[in-house]
Amino acid sequence: MAETEAHPDLHAPAHGSAPILVASNRGPLSFTVEDDGTLSLRRGGGGLVSGLSAIDDPDAVWVCAALTEGDRTAARQAPSGRLDRAGHDTGGQHIRMLEIDPGTFARAYNGIANSTLWFVHHLLYNTPVQPDFDDRFRKEWASYEAYNTAFADALAEEAAPGAAVLVQDYHLTLVPGLLRERRPDLRIGHFSHTPWAPPEYYRMLPDDVAADVLTGILGADRAGFLTRRWAEAFADCCVSVLGAAVERPADGDVRVTHRGRTTRLGVHGLGADADFLRERAHRADVESRLAGLREAVGDRRVVVRVDRTELSKNIVRGLLAYRHLLRTRPEWHDRVVHVAFAYPSRHDLPEYREYTAAVQRVAQEINDEFGTEQWQPLVLHVQDDFPRSLAAYRLADVALVNPIRDGMNLVAKEIPVVSDNGCALVLSREAGAHAELGEDAITVNPYDVIATAEALHQALTMPTADRTDRCKRLAAAATALPPQQWFLDQLHALG
């Protein structure tokens, strides 16, 4: 070998060829093991799936977790977990699915992500009795660390030199910091789809855990949030917990500096996909469900809500507000129907099973109290049905969106886009969407049942022209940053 030939750096980290990577707990595909042992594949939807389709780089990679036994089987059968290398129809996408020990995954996902971080950021704890951070929590936290480490290792292996990596949500808060240690050459972003708790509530977490989550996200070059409010809360927590320095320039990103590194905070308000929604809402399966709903409703006014039975969605208080409306304004008897879709969520957690049961109980009480042979005042469905949801969107005269706390809430954006005749929006001031839609919505305090009932009355009596004009403005605001542009904006912001 000639002296002028370059020798490989044996200590350089191994790297792949992906110039752009996305990491999220749930991927765009899921698998089911059929009775004959074969795997069937189903494609997912949502903003991330739409967003990734905007990337025209053929070498981009999506890293996700295997969530089911079918997913784990598919991951085991794929070379290095790469589904596209195993003959699966991935729609041309490169997807690496991580087979994580089921117990580790369950403790990380249910114990930490959904029962701790979700509860903290949505202010959901019943604090006289919860939380209690004991030995069980510490085992769950160790699993969360292991789960995040698996993602960091996979991303480090797949990423090309200088690649852009976009890490998604509260499941993966430690990944940016872990990945920075492994691959300091990468451009790393993190995006939070939830609210962010204010410091006094966030500090409920054990001190070391509170610090680790923040420093994990600060491993990113840029941390993204759905609203300025959530970005500011994150910055405040960095000051309170870490003693970080924060700069708030009038014309640029907030900057958080800690241990010599600066992370920029950006805001990207994910919008509704207008073209998809309007086309999908007029397909035959939606039309048939719309006919069924119209038969049930008749010529009455329609109040619509569509939610998962997630504790933060505040469905029970919404039902109580509707009951108060009927009790105090009898002129609405036989003239209005509340169409409420409450789709079960996270039923492996007891709190969610109990909440779904409470929703069903209150709904039955309302029908028992006010229903007649000619009029069922409340139509409740708990079986998930997307075409039926779109049919309800089209039928809505009033949309009720009253979460206790929500990172954004796309339902508030979707209904005005799809509504056939224009709808009035009753919207909680605690929804992230309120920052964009509040001017043309009727704003409510989500805890105030009486005020919410009055807001429903105001919405139901709103003059047609006013309602139509407001709905047009709501739809325009709701679609200002569609999923593909939302994703590309984050990518471009990494530089």
Side-chain angles (χ1 to χ4, degrees):
M1 182 180 293
E3 290 183 4
T4 56
E5 290 183 38
H7 292 266
D9 183 354
L10 299 179
H11 300 289
H15 59 73
S17 58
I20 301 171
L21 301 97
V22 175
S24 63
N25 175 68
R26 183 179 299 276
L29 304 175
S30 62
F31 294 85
T32 302
V33 180
E34 301 297 341
D35 293 339
D36 62 359
T38 61
L39 291 175
S40 61
L41 180 153
R42 185 174 67 85
R43 297 185 184 282
L48 269 184
V49 175
S50 297
L52 192 63
S53 69
I55 299 175
D56 59 6
D57 194 304
D59 295 318
V61 172
W62 189 325
V63 178
C64 57
L67 305 184
T68 66
E69 188 53 44
D71 290 351
R72 287 187 283 273
T73 300
R76 280 194 297 271
Q77 294 175 353
S80 302
R82 282 284 290 270
L83 301 179
D84 49 288
R85 294 173 179 167
H88 295 297
D89 180 11
T90 62
Q93 294 177 332
H94 299 304
I95 300 171
R96 178 163 175 175
M97 188 172 276
L98 305 181
E99 185 194 2
I100 296 170
D101 170 74
T104 299
F105 176 83
R107 288 187 293 271
Y109 181 73
N110 288 327
I112 299 299
N114 288 340
S115 292
T116 303
L117 297 180
W118 180 274
F119 271 61
V120 166
H121 289 315
H122 290 84
L123 317 185
L124 289 177
Y125 277 120
N126 178 14
T127 53
V129 294
Q130 292 180 306
D132 43 12
F133 297 121
D134 53 12
D135 291 344
R136 176 181 176 179
F137 169 82
R138 286 297 169 177
K139 185 176 183 180
E140 292 170 341
W141 178 250
S143 292
Y144 184 80
E145 291 176 313
Y147 166 81
N148 275 251
T149 298
F151 270 85
D153 288 342
L155 291 165
E157 184 178 319
E158 295 282 354
V165 184
L166 294 173
V167 181
Q168 303 296 314
D169 225 358
Y170 62 103
H171 313 91
L172 301 176
T173 60
L174 307 183
V175 168
L178 294 169
L179 185 57
R180 176 73 57 198
E181 294 172 359
R182 289 156 173 75
R183 294 288 304 276
D185 61 300
L186 300 179
R187 294 169 293 136
I188 304 170
H190 183 276
F191 195 89
S192 294
H193 295 255
T194 65
W196 198 273
E200 61 272 19
Y201 204 91
Y202 182 79
R203 298 200 72 161
M204 192 182 303
L205 290 169
D207 290 352
D208 60 319
V209 171
D212 286 350
V213 168
L214 295 172
T215 55
I217 291 177
L218 291 177
D221 298 289
R222 195 169 187 274
F225 300 86
L226 289 165
T227 71
R228 179 85 177 191
R229 178 182 178 185
W230 310 141
E232 291 285 358
F234 175 82
D236 290 344
C237 286
C238 290
V239 173
S240 178
V241 175
L242 303 176
V246 174
E247 299 174 75
R248 293 180 168 89
D251 57 350
D253 290 343
V254 174
R255 297 171 181 268
V256 178
T257 301
H258 179 59
R259 294 177 181 169
R261 283 199 74 258
T262 296
T263 299
R264 293 173 291 125
L265 308 187
V267 176
H268 303 278
L270 174 62
D273 188 337
D275 292 340
F276 165 74
L277 287 168
R278 287 172 177 146
E279 185 277 327
R280 183 67 183 85
H282 288 84
R283 293 186 196 172
D285 56 350
V286 177
E287 295 286 357
S288 65
R289 287 161 175 79
L290 182 59
L293 285 174
R294 282 186 172 138
E295 184 177 351
V297 168
D299 60 356
R300 301 174 181 90
R301 308 299 300 280
V302 182
V303 177
V304 168
R305 80 171 305 136
V306 177
D307 282 307
R308 291 173 292 110
T309 51
E310 159 61 54
L311 304 183
S312 64
K313 299 300 184 182
N314 207 26
I315 300 170
V316 170
R317 287 192 187 91
L319 296 178
L320 295 177
Y322 180 64
R323 183 172 72 182
H324 187 79
L325 174 76
L326 297 181
R327 283 179 173 176
T328 58
R329 294 194 178 269
E331 64 266 29
W332 286 114
H333 290 190
D334 202 23
R335 291 185 54 220
V336 66
V337 174
H338 187 6
V339 176
F341 297 161
Y343 300 141
S345 173
R346 299 176 184 169
H347 267 210
D348 44 356
L349 300 176
E351 297 96 333
Y352 288 80
R353 293 193 298 271
E354 293 165 7
Y355 193 72
T356 300
V359 168
Q360 293 172 304
R361 183 178 65 253
V362 175
Q364 187 60 52
E365 289 172 357
I366 291 171
N367 282 329
D368 289 345
E369 182 174 350
F370 298 102
T372 66
E373 289 186 8
Q374 295 79 31
W375 174 50
Q376 182 179 332
L378 194 147
V379 176
L380 175 70
H381 286 287
V382 296
Q383 187 69 33
D384 197 349
D385 186 328
F386 183 58
R388 187 176 59 207
S389 296
L390 291 174
Y393 285 6
R394 288 181 56 186
L395 194 61
D397 295 303
V398 176
L400 174 59
V401 182
N402 67 319
I404 293 170
R405 192 170 169 88
D406 221 332
M408 176 54 69
N409 196 298
L410 282 179
V411 171
K413 293 187 168 186
E414 291 169 351
I415 296 183
V417 172
V418 175
S419 174
D420 280 350
N421 298 314
C423 71
L425 175 62
V426 175
L427 181 62
S428 166
R429 65 192 184 196
E430 298 303 316
H434 190 268
E436 300 163 79
L437 307 182
E439 188 173 335
D440 287 298
I442 300 172
T443 300
V444 293
N445 171 351
Y447 299 97
D448 192 334
V449 169
I450 294 174
T452 302
E454 285 301 303
L456 289 175
H457 175 72
Q458 181 184 346
L460 286 165
T461 56
M462 185 179 293
T464 301
D466 188 16
R467 189 181 73 206
T468 301
D469 289 345
R470 286 190 188 218
C471 191
K472 288 178 180 177
R473 292 192 295 268
L474 288 168
T479 56
L481 191 61
Q484 292 190 353
Q485 192 59 50
W486 166 82
F487 186 88
L488 290 174
D489 282 0
Q490 293 177 62
L491 185 62
H492 296 154
L494 279 178

